[in-house]
């Protein structure tokens, strides 16, 4: 059973009237003003927290000229994948020599039509195993690097967080390592497949992979520069009950009595009211 919020009297199922039989207070409306004030403070506090997140998000993208450049450099590696990353040349006695330039579109078509059973069979082959290990390694490393580029781009939304700089730099370094590893694996594939079929197939690295790696390095450099210089986050002033949100959160953290906070709020609101009246009088 419930108790009366004012006198503490224990209420029974027979106390069906809206007033307490002990003190006569209206049980429905008692303390409603205080509850409404608490709800208002809670709503303003949540808005203040949300506004900070919005301010950090804004700073992550357009907080300075460097962050704007970072957005461009974050997208640039994806564009570089449209350039020729490598080329494979096929020839033979009865086959006209053809050269295929491989870029992101060709890789997508290759992956979508790839027969993994056949690939694993080739990897297990004593003759072609090394070649196709290089082939698979180059493909996997390049795709993983692309995934990390996209993840890094998405994580720019929280780049101004506590671990934002270290996270960005770490992802950039891993992405560069994967891109370089992809190049090494392709060279393994190319040299081995050419050794096995010197007159039929050969491969060579294209300028696109170097442009891709250069774009990744540029992104790493800009993230290091931003980490050293920092980003000036402009927080929009927020208030809870008339007092600055930071001050309110500090008071709550210290366990300040609610009545004391209410007095400070009333004083702050009164001061704002007086300032507004003075401004109107001047106008």
């Amino acid at each position: 059973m419930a108790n009366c919020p004012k006198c503490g009297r224990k209420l029974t199922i027979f106390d069906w009237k809206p007033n307490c039989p002990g003190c006569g207070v209206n049980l429905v409306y008692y303390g409603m003003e205080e509850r409404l004030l608490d709800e208002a403070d809670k709503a303003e506090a949540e808005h203040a927290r949300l506004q900070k997140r919005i301010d950090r998000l804004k700073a992550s993208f357009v907080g300075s000229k460097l962050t704007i450049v970072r957005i461009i450099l974050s997208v640039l590696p994806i564009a570089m994948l449209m350039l020729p990353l490598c080329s494979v040349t096929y020839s033979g006695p009865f086959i006209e020599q053809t050269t295929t330039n491989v870029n992101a579109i060709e890789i997508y078509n290759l992956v979508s039509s790839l027969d993994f059973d056949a690939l694993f069979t080739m990897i297990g082959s004593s003759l072609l195993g090394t070649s196709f290990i290089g082939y698979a390694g180059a493909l996997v490393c390049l795709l993983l690097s692309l995934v990390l580029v996209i993840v890094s781009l998405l994580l720019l939304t929280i780049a101004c967080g506590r671990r934002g700089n270290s996270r960005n730099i770490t992802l950039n370094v891993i992405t560069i390592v994967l891109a370089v590893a992809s190049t090494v694996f392709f060279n393994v594939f190319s040299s081995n497949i050419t050794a096995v079929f010197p007159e039929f197939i050969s491969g060579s690295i294209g300028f696109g992979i170097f442009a891709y790696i250069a774009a990744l390095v540029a992104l790493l450099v800009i993230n290091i520069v931003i980490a050293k210089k920092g980003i000036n986050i402009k927080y929009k002033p927020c208030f809870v009950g008339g007092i600055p949100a930071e001050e309110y959160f500090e008071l709550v953290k210290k366990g300040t009595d609610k009545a004391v906070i209410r007095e400070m709020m009333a004083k702050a609101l009164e001061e704002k009211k007086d300032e507004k009246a003075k401004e109107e009088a001047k106008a």
Side-chain angles (χ1 to χ4, degrees):
M1 293 298 166
N3 296 326
C4 174
K6 183 177 181 182
C7 66
R9 177 189 174 96
K10 188 175 183 180
L11 304 174
T12 67
I13 58 174
F14 300 105
D15 298 321
W16 53 270
K17 293 183 179 181
N19 297 91
C20 172
C23 63
V25 71
N26 189 298
L27 299 173
V28 178
Y29 297 105
Y30 180 79
M32 180 172 284
E33 183 179 353
E34 184 67 22
R35 290 197 298 272
L36 290 173
L37 287 173
D38 288 341
E39 287 298 323
D41 292 344
K42 184 179 179 181
E44 288 183 333
E46 286 299 322
H47 172 264
R49 295 189 184 96
L50 178 61
Q51 186 61 50
K52 277 193 171 184
R53 296 190 186 101
I54 293 173
D55 293 336
R56 286 195 292 267
L57 173 62
K58 184 178 178 181
S60 298
F61 287 97
V62 292
S64 67
K65 292 180 180 179
L66 289 175
T67 57
I68 296 174
V69 172
R70 179 169 64 183
I71 296 173
I72 299 172
L73 293 179
S74 296
V75 178
L76 188 60
I78 300 175
M80 293 299 101
L81 289 176
M82 299 301 170
L83 300 174
L85 303 173
C86 62
S87 62
V88 180
T89 301
Y90 306 91
S91 61
F94 306 104
I95 304 175
E96 184 179 353
Q97 181 173 316
T98 57
T99 300
T100 302
N101 291 317
V102 180
N103 59 12
I105 297 174
E106 290 292 332
I107 290 173
Y108 171 79
N109 294 332
L110 175 64
V111 172
S112 60
S113 61
L114 189 62
D115 186 344
F116 288 96
D117 292 334
L119 178 61
F120 288 135
T121 300
M122 290 295 185
I123 290 175
S125 169
S126 58
L127 181 63
L128 300 173
T130 303
S131 298
F132 279 91
I133 287 175
Y135 174 85
L139 189 61
V140 169
C141 287
L142 186 63
L143 291 176
L144 285 177
S145 71
L146 175 58
V147 169
L148 290 184
V149 167
I150 296 172
V151 170
S152 298
L153 180 60
L154 295 176
L155 289 179
L156 286 182
T157 56
I158 52 175
C160 285
R162 186 173 58 180
R163 296 185 180 90
N165 289 326
S166 59
R167 179 173 53 244
N168 290 337
I169 293 172
T170 301
L171 286 174
N172 292 158
V173 171
I174 295 174
T175 305
I176 293 171
V177 171
L178 286 171
V180 173
S182 177
T183 306
V184 173
F185 274 118
F186 183 82
N187 281 329
V188 170
F189 162 74
S190 178
S191 59
N192 280 275
I193 201 71
T194 302
V196 176
F197 304 108
E199 298 179 358
F200 294 95
I201 186 170
S202 62
S204 60
I205 294 294
F207 69 91
I209 190 65
F210 298 110
Y212 177 63
I213 294 173
L216 294 175
V217 172
L219 180 58
L220 173 62
V221 171
I222 197 69
N223 274 318
I224 292 174
V225 172
I226 290 174
K228 288 185 176 182
K229 289 192 172 184
I231 301 174
N232 183 25
I233 305 175
K234 297 179 181 179
Y235 288 108
K236 183 178 179 180
C238 292
F239 299 88
V240 179
I243 62 178
E246 293 77 11
E247 185 179 346
Y248 171 79
F249 291 136
E250 189 64 28
L251 291 170
V252 173
K253 185 178 180 181
K254 290 180 179 178
T256 307
D257 187 78
K258 188 184 292 185
V260 176
I261 297 176
R262 287 271 182 262
E263 289 178 5
M264 295 176 65
M265 289 179 173
K267 183 179 179 181
L269 290 173
E270 189 64 30
E271 289 176 353
K272 286 187 176 182
K273 186 178 178 180
D274 292 340
E275 288 177 3
K276 186 177 180 181
K278 291 178 180 178
E279 290 177 359
E280 290 177 353
K282 289 180 180 180

